[in-house]
């Protein structure tokens, strides 16, 4: 037991060290601009020690209540299988209260090992009334989804505001020592750093990530030391400002001007959301250790030091941080501030990519290309389209806001609005998921919500001074998400109502009334049951199909990750002689798409597993039966039905044992044309090519099983084709004007300017078949 505890402590310490470079960069650089933004308005006319101490008391208690108590102590407990963030809260609510609007939910999804958390098994009868009301009313579910999307849109705005204010605040320190330096030079330097930061995003951070934690730790300790120096040198009595009495004296003396100024105070908690949003990479214990031992005391000491300095040097309030640095340490601190700002910006940009990926996963964002390389860290992704949009917006606000205080107004309003959304979602978690009383949930929402409303009321006064930018952009992002979700849902409902009945397929016989050619045809559809109209449309125009047909449905389950052994649900459509299967690929909202080679191989292995388990008897099947489709989970025997031999460039197997390979059913002419095309096509030679063979020592009770497996392997050798629907969307003639505008203008505009489905699914063009379909929504 002592050995296990020592290993656990070691793991916590390692994670705590690594968390500095990802979670606390944004929070640790707040001292650069908090006092400057707080005293940017009429509050600068109140040059007294009590006002300075009052501002410090506000900063201290805001940091303590919102960062320490709300996020570190309470919110870190609201994790979804170790993951945090707004989508984690929404996922928990959907699984425990059935708030989800995802159309293709199945009972089998609830059998996932990550779907239910035994810690949340308790139910409070008092919450059943509210829960049943929300479950029965679609408008309540839609309102919850809109609240979540609004919160994510705010966090997307944080993705370009954080680099802008962080790097610009760090670079502006140069003007303290070079007062004659032109303002445009500072902007040029900041823009160069921002461009370099975004341009290098596609390379990932795995090469330099080891430097992030030491930079933030050294920066935090440095600002703490500077704070202690200023306390001892300028005003040792500053510790008295930690008393909340000075908050009373602050508002008593400043009144309306003091209330307006607290929009700058809230900047001290910008970055607190990152502790919860990026929880999945670490543990709650490691985050709490880092915050309690380093971040929180260092920030408090720094703010106290700045207040002590300002109490004797109020004229330097516009440059309070850099002006309070000893002359001998100015340039090293400036360099560390710039590096810390870059680290903070990098973390926020990566988090923005993750947020957009989660929106796309639940059908609330247009199709984008998600890039993840095997050498990158788990969960680290890159989205080219979002990267360049963030760069443009970041440069726009950096250059457009001549006053950095206006940038601070926009930044503070965005962050506090996102925190307000999180507060109400957490209140629902307390009642519906944790099973606590409705009174306790309301107390949580009212206590922290009232604090945030006070800050928001001050920030809304500053809307004309920069605050309007994130609100306008959030509304635009939200409209994009809502239009895409609306169009996608209508398209799914059209597919659902126009699917082909199983009886009609069964009457066609094993050949389906067409010519069956060698190979495997993968028909992609959003349906989890029935035959899509795309398939019959294909047969109508070209009465031939592959000898093995697999209907593939890629769907998102509201869990962060789906274990690989539970990802594939395989079923059969019709009798065995039809050689038609259904594959439901279940992904979590944070799962990253694998390349097409691994998908093909896993699919073949899963179908072979299903064929064998089906022959062993229905008692071994795990899952449910949907008509003639038996859905099974992958068992512990997965991967033992077939052997895989990887091919070299010349087409020979790289295995030292010469496997018995089935010859392709293609004619020599077709094989020659295919090989010629692959040699001339760039990138096709980079694909991983494998061959399958049956296990030589496998015993089959039913000889038909071996024949079916042999036919599956032979079909794979002949080739795999991907069949996708190429849809043309139109609104019905009698549709209302608003619906026609959303479909014909907004939704079609997004469809034309987003990635094609084949690109998102990583489907090679040489294997793609598109079937035209008209949709009347």
């Amino acid at each position: 037991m002592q050995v296990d505890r020592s290993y656990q402590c070691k793991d916590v310490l390692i994670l705590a060290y690594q968390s500095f470079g990802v979670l606390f960069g944004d929070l640790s650089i707040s001292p650069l601009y908090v006092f400057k933004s707080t005293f940017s308005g009429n509050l600068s006319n109140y040059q007294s020690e009590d006002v300075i101490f009052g501002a410090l008391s506000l900063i201290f208690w805001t940091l303590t209540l919102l960062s320490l108590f709300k996020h570190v102590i309470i919110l870190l407990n609201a994790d979804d299988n170790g993951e945090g963030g707004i989508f984690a809260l929404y996922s928990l609510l959907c699984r425990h209260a059935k708030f989800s609007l995802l159309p293709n939910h199945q009972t089998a999804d609830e059998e996932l090992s990550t779907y239910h958390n035994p810690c949340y098994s308790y139910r409070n009868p008092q919450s059943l009334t509210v829960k049943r009301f929300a479950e029965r009313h679609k408008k309540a579910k839609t309102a919850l989804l809109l609240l979540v999307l609004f919160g994510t849109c705010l966090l997307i705005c944080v993705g370009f505001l954080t680099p802008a204010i962080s790097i610009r605040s760090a670079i502006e320190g140069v003007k303290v020592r070079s007062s004659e330096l032109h303002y445009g030079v500072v902007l040029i330097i900041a823009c160069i750093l921002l461009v370099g930061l975004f341009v290098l995003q596609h390379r990932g951070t795995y090469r330099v990530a080891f430097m992030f934690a030491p930079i933030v730790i050294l920066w935090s300790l440095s600002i703490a030391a500077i704070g202690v120096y200023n306390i001892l040198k300028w005003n040792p009595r500053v510790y008295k400002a930690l008393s909340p009495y000075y908050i009373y004296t602050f508002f008593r003396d400043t009144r309306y001007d003091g209330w307006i100024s607290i929009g700058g105070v809230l900047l001290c908690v910008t970055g607190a959301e990152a502790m919860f949003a990026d929880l999945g990479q670490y543990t709650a214990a490691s985050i709490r250790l880092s915050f309690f031992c380093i971040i929180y005391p260092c920030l408090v000491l720094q703010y106290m030091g700045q207040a002590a300095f300002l109490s004797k040097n109020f004229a330097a309030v516009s440059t309070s941080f850099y002006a309070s640095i000893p002359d001998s340490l100015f340039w090293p601190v400036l360099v560390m501030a710039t590096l810390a700002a870059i680290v903070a910006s990098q973390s926020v940009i990566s988090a923005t990519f993750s947020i957009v990926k989660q929106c796309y996963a639940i059908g609330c964002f247009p199709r984008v290309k998600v890039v993840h390389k095997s050498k990158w860290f788990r969960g680290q992704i890159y989205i080219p389209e979002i990267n360049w949009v963030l760069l443009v917006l970041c440069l726009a606000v950096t250059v457009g806001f001549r006053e950095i205080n206006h940038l601070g107004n926009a930044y503070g309003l965005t962050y506090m609005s996102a925190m307000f959304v999180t507060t109400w979602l957490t209140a629902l978690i307390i009642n519906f998921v944790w099973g606590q009383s409705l009174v306790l949930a309301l107390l949580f929402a009212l206590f922290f919500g009232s604090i945030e409303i006070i800050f928001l009321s001050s920030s809304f006064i500053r809307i004309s001074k920069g605050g309007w930018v994130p609100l306008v952009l959030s509304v635009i992002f939200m409209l994009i998400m809502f239009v895409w979700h609306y169009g996608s849902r209508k398209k799914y409902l059209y597919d659902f109502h126009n699917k082909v009945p199983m009886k009609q397929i069964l009457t066609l016989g094993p050949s389906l009334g067409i010519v069956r050619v060698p190979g495997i045809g993968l028909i992609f559809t959003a349906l989890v049951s029935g035959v899509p109209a795309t398939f019959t449309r294909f047969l109508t125009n070209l009465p031939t199909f592959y000898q093995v047909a697999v209907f593939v449905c890629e769907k998102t389950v509201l869990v962060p990750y789906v274990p690989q052994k539970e990802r594939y649900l395989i079923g059969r459509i019709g009798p065995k002689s039809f050689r038609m299967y259904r594959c439901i690929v279940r992904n979590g909202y944070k799962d990253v798409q694998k390349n097409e080679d691994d998908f093909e191989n896993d699919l073949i292995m899963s179908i072979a597993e299903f064929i064998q388990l089906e022959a062993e008897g229905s008692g071994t099947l795990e899952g449910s039966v949907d008509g003639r489709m038996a859905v099974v989970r992958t068992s512990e025997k997965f991967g033992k039905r077939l052997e895989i031999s990887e091919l070299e460039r010349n087409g020979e197997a790289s295995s030292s044992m010469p496997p018995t390979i089935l010859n392709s059913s293609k004619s020599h002419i077709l094989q020659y044309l295919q090989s010629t095309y692959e040699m001339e096509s760039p990138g096709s030679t980079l694909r991983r090519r494998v061959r399958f063979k049956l296990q030589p020592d496998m015993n089959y009770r039913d000889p038909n099983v071996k024949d079916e497996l042999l036919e599956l392997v032979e079909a794979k050798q002949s080739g795999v084709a991907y069949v996708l629907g190429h849809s043309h969307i139109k609104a019905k003639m009698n549709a209302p004007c608003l619906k026609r505008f959303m479909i014909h203008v907004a939704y079609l505009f997004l469809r034309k300017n987003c990635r094609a489905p084949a690109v998102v699914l990583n489907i090679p063009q040489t294997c793609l078949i598109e079937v035209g379909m008209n949709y009347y929504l």
Side-chain angles (χ1 to χ4, degrees):
M1 291 294 294
Q2 293 181 352
V3 175
D4 293 341
R5 289 180 179 177
S6 64
Y7 276 115
Q8 291 178 357
C9 293
K10 183 180 178 180
D11 292 339
V12 170
L13 289 175
I14 293 175
L15 290 174
Y17 169 76
Q18 295 174 346
S19 68
F20 285 103
V22 176
L23 302 183
F24 301 110
D26 193 7
L27 192 63
S28 66
I29 61 173
S30 298
L32 290 175
Y33 41 76
V34 170
F35 275 103
K36 179 179 180 179
S37 298
T38 302
F39 288 92
S40 60
N42 294 332
L43 196 65
S44 59
N45 299 325
Y46 300 86
Q47 302 183 13
S48 66
E49 183 178 277
D50 285 348
V51 173
I52 299 294
F53 282 13
L56 173 62
S57 186
L58 277 170
I59 294 171
F60 171 76
W61 286 106
T62 301
L63 184 67
T64 301
L65 292 176
L66 296 184
S67 294
L68 179 62
F69 283 98
K70 178 188 171 184
H71 285 86
V72 176
I73 295 179
I74 299 177
L75 205 55
L76 289 183
N77 295 316
D79 66 287
D80 180 14
N81 292 285
E83 296 292 334
I86 288 181
F87 268 99
L89 299 178
Y90 180 66
S91 175
L92 284 173
L93 289 173
C94 290
R95 299 207 305 269
H96 289 79
K98 297 180 180 179
F99 290 155
S100 174
L101 290 174
L102 292 179
N104 50 9
H105 176 77
Q106 294 175 286
T107 305
D109 298 338
E110 300 179 10
E111 300 174 5
L112 287 170
S113 59
T114 54
Y115 197 89
H116 294 290
N117 191 333
C119 299
Y120 301 150
S121 59
Y122 173 73
R123 294 291 182 269
N124 185 357
Q126 298 178 356
S127 65
L128 292 178
T129 303
V130 181
K131 186 175 73 170
R132 288 172 181 171
F133 172 82
E135 291 176 349
R136 287 196 304 264
H137 293 78
K138 184 180 177 181
K139 291 183 179 179
K141 300 179 182 180
T142 304
L144 179 63
L145 178 62
L146 291 177
L147 179 66
V148 171
L149 293 181
F150 181 66
T152 58
C153 292
L154 291 169
L155 293 178
I156 292 174
C157 291
V158 171
F160 66 85
L161 289 173
T162 298
I165 191 172
S166 303
I167 293 180
R168 183 170 163 181
S169 298
I171 298 300
E172 282 194 348
V174 178
K175 297 179 65 176
V176 176
R177 287 295 184 269
S178 303
S179 56
E180 70 281 358
L181 189 66
H182 192 270
Y183 169 77
V185 177
V186 175
L187 279 184
I188 292 175
I189 297 175
C191 290
I192 291 174
L193 290 176
L194 289 172
V195 171
L197 178 66
F198 282 96
V199 167
L200 295 177
Q201 286 298 313
H202 72 283
R203 302 184 64 89
T205 60
Y206 69 99
R207 294 184 184 273
V208 295
F210 70 95
M211 300 172 55
F212 291 172
I215 289 174
V216 176
I217 293 175
L218 184 60
W219 164 252
S220 301
L221 296 177
S222 300
I223 61 176
I226 294 172
V228 173
Y229 167 81
N230 286 319
I231 292 172
L232 298 177
K233 179 178 180 180
W234 297 107
N235 196 341
R237 297 188 307 108
V238 74
Y239 72 90
K240 295 182 179 180
L242 301 184
S243 170
Y245 170 77
Y246 280 93
I247 297 178
Y248 164 74
T249 61
F250 175 82
F251 287 111
R252 182 195 63 189
D253 297 339
T254 60
R255 298 183 182 275
Y256 179 78
D257 293 333
W259 174 62
I260 295 297
S261 68
I262 63 174
V265 173
L266 64 87
L267 292 175
C268 69
V269 293
T270 53
E273 283 286 314
M275 290 187 287
F276 178 58
D278 295 326
L279 174 62
Q281 302 183 38
Y282 308 97
T283 61
S286 62
I287 295 174
R288 291 185 176 118
L289 179 64
S290 304
F291 188 82
F292 280 126
C293 296
I294 302 293
I295 299 299
Y296 181 72
C298 289
L299 287 175
V300 171
L301 289 174
Q302 167 55 213
Y303 288 126
M304 291 176 64
Q306 276 198 63
F309 173 80
L310 288 176
S311 65
K312 306 299 181 182
N313 304 274
F314 190 82
V317 67
S318 61
T319 57
S320 58
F321 176 80
Y322 285 108
S324 65
I325 300 175
D327 293 340
S328 59
L329 299 177
F330 178 82
W331 293 110
V333 171
L334 177 65
V335 173
M336 282 192 296
T338 305
L339 293 176
I342 293 174
V343 171
S345 302
Q346 172 59 47
S347 301
V348 172
I349 294 170
S350 298
T352 305
F353 293 154
S354 179
I355 290 171
V356 173
K357 161 65 176 65
Q358 295 169 41
C359 291
Y360 164 71
I362 66 170
C364 293
F365 203 86
R367 292 183 295 266
V368 291
K369 183 178 181 180
V370 179
V371 179
H372 174 76
K373 299 180 181 179
S374 58
K375 54 188 176 183
W376 290 3
F377 302 112
R378 181 193 178 188
Q380 183 183 6
I381 59 175
Y382 168 70
I383 303 178
E385 301 93 325
I386 303 301
N387 184 66
W388 304 125
V389 170
L390 291 179
L391 173 60
V392 172
L393 294 175
C394 189
L395 293 178
V397 296
T398 302
V399 177
F401 289 135
R402 291 187 59 86
E403 292 289 337
I404 197 172
N405 295 323
H406 292 178
L407 191 55
N409 296 338
Y411 188 41
L413 176 61
T414 306
Y415 233 115
M416 190 54 64
S417 300
M419 293 179 71
F420 186 69
V421 172
T422 304
T423 297
W424 285 99
L425 290 176
T426 307
L428 296 176
I429 292 291
I430 293 174
N431 186 233
F432 294 148
V433 180
W434 293 354
Q436 302 299 319
S437 65
L438 182 62
V439 175
L440 182 62
L442 288 176
L443 286 176
F444 173 86
L446 292 176
F447 178 74
F448 290 106
S450 60
I451 296 174
E452 292 159 357
I453 285 178
I454 293 174
F455 283 110
L456 285 174
S457 64
S458 173
S459 298
F460 277 115
I461 300 298
R462 302 185 178 190
I463 282 184
S464 60
K465 298 180 179 179
W468 62 272
V469 173
L471 292 181
V472 171
L473 291 175
S474 295
V475 171
I476 294 175
F477 291 146
M478 191 171 177
L479 288 175
I480 292 174
M481 293 182 182
F482 179 77
V483 168
W484 186 263
H485 176 74
Y486 176 82
S488 300
R489 185 175 178 84
K490 289 294 183 182
K491 184 174 177 291
Y492 171 83
L493 293 176
Y494 183 90
D495 282 332
F496 181 79
H497 293 301
N498 290 274
K499 63 182 179 180
V500 181
M502 287 298 303
K503 293 182 180 179
Q504 182 176 341
I505 296 296
L506 296 177
T507 57
L508 298 177
S511 65
L512 301 179
I514 59 175
V515 178
R516 302 295 287 267
V517 297
I520 298 178
L522 305 182
I523 305 98
F524 281 78
T525 175
L527 301 176
V528 295
S529 62
V531 176
T534 306
F535 182 64
T536 56
R537 177 76 172 178
F538 180 88
L539 299 184
T540 302
N541 291 276
L542 185 64
T544 182
F545 204 73
Y546 297 94
Q547 67 187 94
V548 175
V550 183
F551 294 91
V552 180
C553 171
E554 287 212 33
K555 56 179 287 187
T556 298
V557 184
L558 284 174
V559 295
Y561 297 101
V562 175
Q564 181 64 26
K565 65 180 182 179
E566 303 177 35
R567 188 176 304 276
Y568 295 92
L569 298 181
I570 307 295
R572 187 187 297 278
I573 298 179
K576 295 182 179 180
S577 58
F578 279 52
R579 299 296 190 259
M580 296 174 64
Y581 309 93
R582 185 184 306 282
C583 172
I584 300 176
V585 185
R586 302 182 294 185
N587 298 307
Y589 57 82
K590 297 197 73 173
D591 275 319
V592 180
Q593 180 76 33
K594 299 175 68 175
N595 64 61
E596 74 282 352
D597 298 318
D598 292 334
F599 171 74
E600 286 183 11
N601 299 334
D602 290 345
L603 179 62
I604 300 301
M605 300 296 286
S606 299
I607 294 176
E609 172 75 7
F610 166 76
I611 294 172
Q612 184 68 18
L613 289 179
E614 186 185 38
E616 292 175 359
S618 59
T620 62
L621 297 179
E622 302 176 14
S624 60
V625 176
D626 181 11
R628 292 182 178 269
M629 184 185 71
V631 183
V632 300
R633 287 184 182 178
T634 304
S635 72
E636 67 278 358
K637 300 178 182 179
F638 179 68
K640 297 182 180 180
R641 312 295 183 184
L642 301 177
E643 285 185 357
I644 300 180
S645 300
E646 188 164 355
L647 299 181
E648 297 177 349
R649 294 294 178 87
N650 58 4
E652 297 297 331
S654 60
S655 175
S656 58
M657 295 294 293
T660 304
I661 304 297
L662 291 170
N663 294 325
S664 174
S665 299
K666 291 182 179 179
S667 66
H668 294 290
I669 297 178
L670 290 178
Q671 293 183 34
Y672 171 77
L673 292 175
Q674 179 182 2
S675 62
T676 303
Y677 182 83
E678 290 179 349
M679 292 179 62
E680 295 177 352
S681 177
S684 63
T685 56
L686 300 178
R687 294 190 62 192
R688 178 175 174 237
R689 304 187 64 184
V690 298
R691 282 182 177 174
F692 292 87
K693 71 171 184 177
L694 299 183
Q695 287 278 6
D697 55 348
M698 286 291 295
N699 295 322
Y700 301 96
R701 299 178 183 176
D702 186 354
N704 293 327
V705 173
K706 184 176 182 180
D707 295 339
E708 189 172 1
L709 290 176
L710 287 172
E711 187 173 346
L712 177 67
V713 173
E714 182 180 359
K716 177 63 173 69
Q717 292 301 115
S718 298
V720 178
Y722 296 75
V723 181
L724 272 68
H726 186 80
S727 54
H728 298 272
I729 310 295
K730 295 182 180 180
K732 294 180 180 179
M733 295 298 296
N734 58 348
C737 294
L738 180 59
K739 181 177 180 179
R740 292 173 64 87
F741 174 81
M742 291 184 65
I743 298 297
H744 288 168
V745 180
Y747 184 62
L748 288 183
F749 174 81
L750 294 177
R751 282 176 55 86
K752 291 179 181 179
N753 292 276
C754 68
R755 295 279 184 169
V759 177
V760 175
L761 296 172
N762 293 322
I763 298 176
Q765 292 294 322
T766 56
C767 306
L768 177 63
I769 299 175
E770 291 187 310
V771 181
M773 286 287 296
N774 290 324
Y775 285 80
Y776 295 95
L777 308 181

